[in-house]
Amino acid sequence: MKKILILVSIVIGLASCSSYDYYSVSNKPVNTARYKTYAWIPESQSKASSTYNNDIATDKIVDAASAELNKRGLTLKNSNPDLLIKYTAVVNKETRTYDEPVYYNPPARLSPRLGYYRGRAIYYYAYTDPFPVYVGSRARKMQVKEGSIMIDIIERRTSKLIWRGWAEGEVNDPQKAINDIPNVVANIFKKLP
């Protein structure tokens, strides 16, 4: 029982550490009975910028998305596919406003005290370091890098977008962002109906 509780707390802890938010919109459900094959739109028409603009990131996005589509019963077929898949990976600089608490630290001081020792009153001084006092908050503007990975599923016959899923989150470390791509793409596809 203890092992199960520890495992559950680890899973919840890891899930809460996710710095991405996931969204999706769809025009019609992606029915695997109706759609059997897919192909990737050429890379020149897919977009990537800064952190994700390299072959490693592109391969991770394509491989992770292909694995998720294969799990759903779709197969890769470059000639005459049912669905077209496109990705967009962008990192933008944004300004966010954070409210920070402001504290006042009163100066430390020596305070006179009265004590008793063997029945006699003794006067002495004690060093007093008071606690900080909350006085309000101030707004601080910070530049952050906001990254998003977007995956589009397009019906080839009608050329209409039928599903879009994307993840948004802060990108502080480019290496970590690239290593997180498979997990992020898997979580995007969890939103696929």
Side-chain angles (χ1 to χ4, degrees):
M1 184 68 179
K2 252 185 179 178
K3 290 180 182 179
I4 293 173
L5 289 175
I6 291 171
L7 181 63
V8 168
S9 65
I10 290 172
V11 169
I12 290 172
L14 289 175
S16 66
C17 292
S18 176
S19 61
Y20 290 91
D21 295 320
Y22 300 96
Y23 309 95
S24 73
V25 292
S26 63
N27 187 10
K28 55 172 105 169
V30 181
N31 188 354
T32 54
R34 183 174 175 187
Y35 304 114
K36 298 287 185 194
T37 59
Y38 70 94
W40 284 91
I41 290 180
E43 189 178 332
S44 63
Q45 294 175 6
S46 291
K47 301 177 200 166
S49 71
S50 64
T51 302
Y52 300 113
N53 192 14
N54 60 53
D55 292 336
I56 295 170
T58 299
D59 290 345
K60 284 192 176 209
I61 292 170
V62 170
D63 290 345
S66 295
E68 292 296 322
L69 290 167
N70 291 339
K71 281 183 195 175
R72 286 167 172 73
L74 298 168
T75 56
L76 180 65
K77 181 181 173 189
N78 288 328
S79 62
N80 218 8
D82 298 327
L83 300 172
L84 298 173
I85 312 299
K86 179 177 111 171
Y87 78 89
T88 306
V90 181
V91 176
N92 297 322
K93 287 186 180 178
E94 289 187 357
T95 303
R96 287 205 179 157
T97 304
Y98 295 99
D99 287 329
E100 290 185 343
V102 177
Y103 294 96
Y104 167 69
N105 291 320
R109 60 187 175 266
L110 291 174
S111 304
R113 300 281 183 196
L114 175 65
Y116 292 96
Y117 180 70
R118 293 188 182 183
R120 299 177 126 182
I122 298 176
Y123 294 98
Y124 66 96
Y125 287 91
Y127 180 75
T128 306
D129 189 13
F131 292 108
V133 178
Y134 175 76
V135 292
S137 63
R138 79 171 157 232
R140 173 178 277 182
K141 293 184 179 184
M142 296 180 67
Q143 289 277 0
V144 295
K145 289 183 180 179
E146 181 77 16
S148 62
I149 297 176
M150 185 181 311
I151 298 175
D152 295 334
I153 298 179
I154 302 164
E155 189 175 40
R156 187 192 58 80
R157 187 177 50 81
T158 60
S159 297
K160 288 189 177 182
L161 178 69
I162 60 172
W163 183 81
R164 172 175 283 170
W166 69 97
E168 295 177 352
E170 285 187 25
V171 179
N172 299 325
D173 181 13
Q175 181 179 358
K176 183 180 180 314
I178 290 173
N179 289 336
D180 286 346
I181 287 174
N183 188 28
V184 170
V185 171
N187 286 332
I188 290 171
F189 273 98
K190 285 181 183 175
K191 297 281 188 179
L192 184 65

